[in-house]
Amino acid sequence: MTNHYRFKQDEIEKIISRFGENFYEKVLRDIEVYAEKWSLRSFQLIPSYSANLVFKCYAEDFGSAVLKLGNPTCREIYTEVNTLHHYNGSRFCKVFAADIENGVILEECIQPGIPLRDDHSLDKRLSVFCSLHKGLHSAPEQAEIYPTYTEWVSRITAYMSTREDSKELYLHMKKANDICLSIAASYSQKMLLHGDFHHDNILLGQGEEYIIIDPKGVLGDPVFDVPRFILNEFEDEITPELYSKIHYIISVFEMNLNIPSDIIKQCLYVETAMGACWSVESGSTADEYPTLIANVAFAETIMNA
């Protein structure tokens, strides 16, 4: 008999609020089906409620595993599985099984799985990121199945042009789009990027080795896989200390990744603007806009320094 998961009331409400009633019904069916199909038990919900619903579980054939239940119409499930297959365990977690048509993935569970964010040493965090980024990227065989980074940027720019309530962010995004196209003209490699390469997607595995999880799968130059990490070093308050810290990070990356600091700064502005606009698209309220704008303006200040 399989050991299925019993949702708590607050979990049900969060799932329905984030994904809708139909998705919740699908999740209940999926847990039954895949517990049987892949011999899964001991489900634990990871309360992230982001693009997928994620469980830790135990698989008879593989041991500790992560089960992701997503929306089958969402392209990201498809690109994530293909990215993980492309890198085939090299620095990335492994895929044990997948049913792409139904938006379901069973992946390796990284143990102990402590995110890089939990390391208090900035230099250690930067060192780990540089070691993972260097020599990571390669060109995929089926390039046509992935979006490009410039498409991401132009799509959200087009969306923001329709938002009457956030003109200031739209102007930033429009400027970021132009900058992105200018970077892409010089940095034009079509490599398979992670697309969301930051602290919480870098987990401590066995033997003190860090492993990468949750790739989005997007095509572009490796320079575009740097700024998301820097953005995740931003803090709640914009202070002179934060300004110095971000400049320090950029100087370390310039030296270790061999990317000119002005390019890193421009990429950071593009990524910060895009992240803020994605927040608007996914439902940020108007009272959150000032913080989003402040972050983009801060990235602009860094770029112009």
mmCIF file of all heavy atoms in Angstrom, residues 46-71:
data_model
loop_
_atom_site.group_PDB
_atom_site.id
_atom_site.type_symbol
_atom_site.label_atom_id
_atom_site.label_comp_id
_atom_site.label_asym_id
_atom_site.label_seq_id
_atom_site.Cartn_x
_atom_site.Cartn_y
_atom_site.Cartn_z
ATOM 1 N N ILE A 46 7.042 20.544 -0.019
ATOM 2 C CA ILE A 46 7.972 21.671 0.136
ATOM 3 C C ILE A 46 7.148 22.928 -0.166
ATOM 4 O O ILE A 46 6.709 23.121 -1.299
ATOM 5 C CB ILE A 46 9.178 21.557 -0.827
ATOM 6 C CG1 ILE A 46 9.964 20.275 -0.530
ATOM 7 C CG2 ILE A 46 10.083 22.789 -0.710
ATOM 8 C CD1 ILE A 46 11.054 19.964 -1.531
ATOM 9 N N PRO A 47 6.906 23.776 0.831
ATOM 10 C CA PRO A 47 5.938 24.873 0.651
ATOM 11 C C PRO A 47 6.496 26.060 -0.135
ATOM 12 O O PRO A 47 6.690 27.138 0.397
ATOM 13 C CB PRO A 47 5.604 25.272 2.100
ATOM 14 C CG PRO A 47 6.842 24.929 2.866
ATOM 15 C CD PRO A 47 7.486 23.766 2.176
ATOM 16 N N SER A 48 6.750 25.841 -1.426
ATOM 17 C CA SER A 48 7.282 26.955 -2.234
ATOM 18 C C SER A 48 6.188 27.604 -3.084
ATOM 19 O O SER A 48 6.198 28.807 -3.294
ATOM 20 C CB SER A 48 8.411 26.467 -3.144
ATOM 21 O OG SER A 48 7.936 25.502 -4.053
ATOM 22 N N TYR A 49 5.231 26.818 -3.597
ATOM 23 C CA TYR A 49 4.100 27.322 -4.394
ATOM 24 C C TYR A 49 4.574 28.263 -5.512
ATOM 25 O O TYR A 49 4.007 29.314 -5.743
ATOM 26 C CB TYR A 49 3.076 28.063 -3.511
ATOM 27 C CG TYR A 49 2.612 27.268 -2.324
ATOM 28 C CD1 TYR A 49 3.099 27.545 -1.040
ATOM 29 C CD2 TYR A 49 1.691 26.233 -2.462
ATOM 30 C CE1 TYR A 49 2.685 26.797 0.064
ATOM 31 C CE2 TYR A 49 1.265 25.491 -1.354
ATOM 32 C CZ TYR A 49 1.763 25.783 -0.106
ATOM 33 O OH TYR A 49 1.355 25.052 0.982
ATOM 34 N N SER A 50 5.647 27.871 -6.209
ATOM 35 C CA SER A 50 6.142 28.739 -7.294
ATOM 36 C C SER A 50 5.595 28.246 -8.626
ATOM 37 O O SER A 50 4.397 28.291 -8.855
ATOM 38 C CB SER A 50 7.668 28.799 -7.281
ATOM 39 O OG SER A 50 8.220 27.501 -7.353
ATOM 40 N N ALA A 51 6.454 27.744 -9.498
ATOM 41 C CA ALA A 51 5.966 27.293 -10.813
ATOM 42 C C ALA A 51 5.308 25.920 -10.728
ATOM 43 O O ALA A 51 4.424 25.595 -11.511
ATOM 44 C CB ALA A 51 7.133 27.258 -11.800
ATOM 45 N N ASN A 52 5.740 25.097 -9.765
ATOM 46 C CA ASN A 52 5.209 23.740 -9.607
ATOM 47 C C ASN A 52 4.856 23.505 -8.144
ATOM 48 O O ASN A 52 5.237 24.276 -7.277
ATOM 49 C CB ASN A 52 6.274 22.688 -9.979
ATOM 50 C CG ASN A 52 6.986 22.994 -11.259
ATOM 51 O OD1 ASN A 52 6.393 22.955 -12.318
ATOM 52 N ND2 ASN A 52 8.276 23.309 -11.187
ATOM 53 N N LEU A 53 4.182 22.384 -7.907
ATOM 54 C CA LEU A 53 4.039 21.912 -6.531
ATOM 55 C C LEU A 53 5.123 20.848 -6.339
ATOM 56 O O LEU A 53 5.277 19.952 -7.173
ATOM 57 C CB LEU A 53 2.641 21.305 -6.330
ATOM 58 C CG LEU A 53 2.085 21.432 -4.917
ATOM 59 C CD1 LEU A 53 2.033 22.886 -4.477
ATOM 60 C CD2 LEU A 53 0.722 20.818 -4.823
ATOM 61 N N VAL A 54 5.879 20.960 -5.242
ATOM 62 C CA VAL A 54 7.069 20.127 -5.080
ATOM 63 C C VAL A 54 6.987 19.316 -3.790
ATOM 64 O O VAL A 54 6.663 19.847 -2.727
ATOM 65 C CB VAL A 54 8.352 21.010 -5.062
ATOM 66 C CG1 VAL A 54 9.603 20.146 -4.989
ATOM 67 C CG2 VAL A 54 8.401 21.907 -6.288
ATOM 68 N N PHE A 55 7.278 18.008 -3.915
ATOM 69 C CA PHE A 55 7.301 17.113 -2.756
ATOM 70 C C PHE A 55 8.650 16.411 -2.663
ATOM 71 O O PHE A 55 9.222 16.024 -3.693
ATOM 72 C CB PHE A 55 6.241 15.999 -2.899
ATOM 73 C CG PHE A 55 4.837 16.484 -2.929
ATOM 74 C CD1 PHE A 55 4.244 16.883 -4.121
ATOM 75 C CD2 PHE A 55 4.073 16.529 -1.770
ATOM 76 C CE1 PHE A 55 2.926 17.328 -4.156
ATOM 77 C CE2 PHE A 55 2.757 16.969 -1.801
ATOM 78 C CZ PHE A 55 2.189 17.369 -2.988
ATOM 79 N N LYS A 56 9.129 16.231 -1.442
ATOM 80 C CA LYS A 56 10.184 15.248 -1.215
ATOM 81 C C LYS A 56 9.481 13.924 -1.008
ATOM 82 O O LYS A 56 8.379 13.876 -0.444
ATOM 83 C CB LYS A 56 11.004 15.599 0.030
ATOM 84 C CG LYS A 56 11.995 16.723 -0.173
ATOM 85 C CD LYS A 56 12.846 16.910 1.080
ATOM 86 C CE LYS A 56 13.832 18.050 0.868
ATOM 87 N NZ LYS A 56 14.621 18.334 2.099
ATOM 88 N N CYS A 57 10.107 12.832 -1.465
ATOM 89 C CA CYS A 57 9.503 11.518 -1.254
ATOM 90 C C CYS A 57 10.589 10.448 -1.324
ATOM 91 O O CYS A 57 11.765 10.756 -1.528
ATOM 92 C CB CYS A 57 8.410 11.241 -2.293
ATOM 93 S SG CYS A 57 9.005 11.284 -3.996
ATOM 94 N N TYR A 58 10.180 9.212 -1.156
ATOM 95 C CA TYR A 58 11.127 8.093 -1.274
ATOM 96 C C TYR A 58 10.666 7.199 -2.415
ATOM 97 O O TYR A 58 9.496 6.810 -2.477
ATOM 98 C CB TYR A 58 11.194 7.299 0.036
ATOM 99 C CG TYR A 58 12.269 6.235 -0.004
ATOM 100 C CD1 TYR A 58 13.592 6.539 0.307
ATOM 101 C CD2 TYR A 58 11.958 4.935 -0.398
ATOM 102 C CE1 TYR A 58 14.593 5.573 0.231
ATOM 103 C CE2 TYR A 58 12.946 3.958 -0.474
ATOM 104 C CZ TYR A 58 14.254 4.288 -0.158
ATOM 105 O OH TYR A 58 15.240 3.333 -0.260
ATOM 106 N N ALA A 59 11.577 6.906 -3.347
ATOM 107 C CA ALA A 59 11.256 6.040 -4.493
ATOM 108 C C ALA A 59 11.971 4.703 -4.314
ATOM 109 O O ALA A 59 13.175 4.676 -4.066
ATOM 110 C CB ALA A 59 11.715 6.706 -5.784
ATOM 111 N N GLU A 60 11.221 3.617 -4.435
ATOM 112 C CA GLU A 60 11.802 2.276 -4.267
ATOM 113 C C GLU A 60 13.050 2.076 -5.122
ATOM 114 O O GLU A 60 14.038 1.514 -4.688
ATOM 115 C CB GLU A 60 10.763 1.194 -4.642
ATOM 116 C CG GLU A 60 9.645 1.007 -3.634
ATOM 117 C CD GLU A 60 10.125 0.537 -2.267
ATOM 118 O OE1 GLU A 60 11.161 -0.168 -2.197
ATOM 119 O OE2 GLU A 60 9.487 0.908 -1.266
ATOM 120 N N ASP A 61 12.991 2.559 -6.372
ATOM 121 C CA ASP A 61 14.092 2.292 -7.307
ATOM 122 C C ASP A 61 15.249 3.282 -7.201
ATOM 123 O O ASP A 61 16.339 3.004 -7.686
ATOM 124 C CB ASP A 61 13.576 2.318 -8.759
ATOM 125 C CG ASP A 61 12.587 1.194 -9.027
ATOM 126 O OD1 ASP A 61 12.613 0.204 -8.263
ATOM 127 O OD2 ASP A 61 11.792 1.315 -9.968
ATOM 128 N N PHE A 62 15.005 4.447 -6.608
ATOM 129 C CA PHE A 62 16.026 5.513 -6.665
ATOM 130 C C PHE A 62 16.455 6.041 -5.304
ATOM 131 O O PHE A 62 17.471 6.721 -5.199
ATOM 132 C CB PHE A 62 15.490 6.701 -7.489
ATOM 133 C CG PHE A 62 14.996 6.325 -8.849
ATOM 134 C CD1 PHE A 62 13.645 6.401 -9.155
ATOM 135 C CD2 PHE A 62 15.881 5.888 -9.836
ATOM 136 C CE1 PHE A 62 13.167 6.051 -10.412
ATOM 137 C CE2 PHE A 62 15.410 5.543 -11.095
ATOM 138 C CZ PHE A 62 14.056 5.615 -11.388
ATOM 139 N N GLY A 63 15.664 5.779 -4.267
ATOM 140 C CA GLY A 63 15.955 6.371 -2.959
ATOM 141 C C GLY A 63 15.290 7.727 -2.819
ATOM 142 O O GLY A 63 14.216 7.966 -3.383
ATOM 143 N N SER A 64 15.943 8.655 -2.096
ATOM 144 C CA SER A 64 15.362 9.992 -1.870
ATOM 145 C C SER A 64 15.158 10.709 -3.194
ATOM 146 O O SER A 64 16.071 10.737 -4.034
ATOM 147 C CB SER A 64 16.281 10.829 -0.986
ATOM 148 O OG SER A 64 16.310 10.289 0.303
ATOM 149 N N ALA A 65 13.979 11.284 -3.360
ATOM 150 C CA ALA A 65 13.651 11.917 -4.644
ATOM 151 C C ALA A 65 12.802 13.164 -4.417
ATOM 152 O O ALA A 65 12.306 13.409 -3.315
ATOM 153 C CB ALA A 65 12.893 10.919 -5.534
ATOM 154 N N VAL A 66 12.672 13.944 -5.485
ATOM 155 C CA VAL A 66 11.811 15.130 -5.485
ATOM 156 C C VAL A 66 10.789 14.944 -6.594
ATOM 157 O O VAL A 66 11.158 14.684 -7.743
ATOM 158 C CB VAL A 66 12.635 16.414 -5.715
ATOM 159 C CG1 VAL A 66 11.723 17.596 -6.008
ATOM 160 C CG2 VAL A 66 13.518 16.713 -4.509
ATOM 161 N N LEU A 67 9.512 15.058 -6.257
ATOM 162 C CA LEU A 67 8.428 14.946 -7.237
ATOM 163 C C LEU A 67 7.887 16.336 -7.516
ATOM 164 O O LEU A 67 7.472 17.041 -6.601
ATOM 165 C CB LEU A 67 7.310 14.048 -6.701
ATOM 166 C CG LEU A 67 6.108 13.846 -7.633
ATOM 167 C CD1 LEU A 67 6.474 12.995 -8.846
ATOM 168 C CD2 LEU A 67 4.939 13.213 -6.877
ATOM 169 N N LYS A 68 7.915 16.730 -8.794
ATOM 170 C CA LYS A 68 7.372 18.035 -9.188
ATOM 171 C C LYS A 68 6.118 17.823 -10.005
ATOM 172 O O LYS A 68 6.133 17.094 -11.002
ATOM 173 C CB LYS A 68 8.392 18.796 -10.043
ATOM 174 C CG LYS A 68 9.586 19.292 -9.275
ATOM 175 C CD LYS A 68 10.451 20.164 -10.165
ATOM 176 C CE LYS A 68 11.568 20.785 -9.377
ATOM 177 N NZ LYS A 68 12.416 21.627 -10.229
ATOM 178 N N LEU A 69 5.045 18.485 -9.589
ATOM 179 C CA LEU A 69 3.780 18.421 -10.312
ATOM 180 C C LEU A 69 3.497 19.809 -10.860
ATOM 181 O O LEU A 69 3.335 20.759 -10.098
ATOM 182 C CB LEU A 69 2.652 17.974 -9.370
ATOM 183 C CG LEU A 69 2.893 16.654 -8.617
ATOM 184 C CD1 LEU A 69 1.753 16.372 -7.658
ATOM 185 C CD2 LEU A 69 3.079 15.495 -9.585
ATOM 186 N N GLY A 70 3.467 19.920 -12.171
ATOM 187 C CA GLY A 70 3.284 21.228 -12.795
ATOM 188 C C GLY A 70 2.109 21.250 -13.748
ATOM 189 O O GLY A 70 1.377 20.269 -13.891
ATOM 190 N N ASN A 71 1.958 22.379 -14.396
ATOM 191 C CA ASN A 71 0.910 22.543 -15.397
ATOM 192 C C ASN A 71 1.439 22.020 -16.733
ATOM 193 O O ASN A 71 2.431 22.526 -17.249
ATOM 194 C CB ASN A 71 0.576 24.040 -15.504
ATOM 195 C CG ASN A 71 -0.545 24.296 -16.494
ATOM 196 O OD1 ASN A 71 -0.876 23.440 -17.323
ATOM 197 N ND2 ASN A 71 -1.128 25.477 -16.413
#
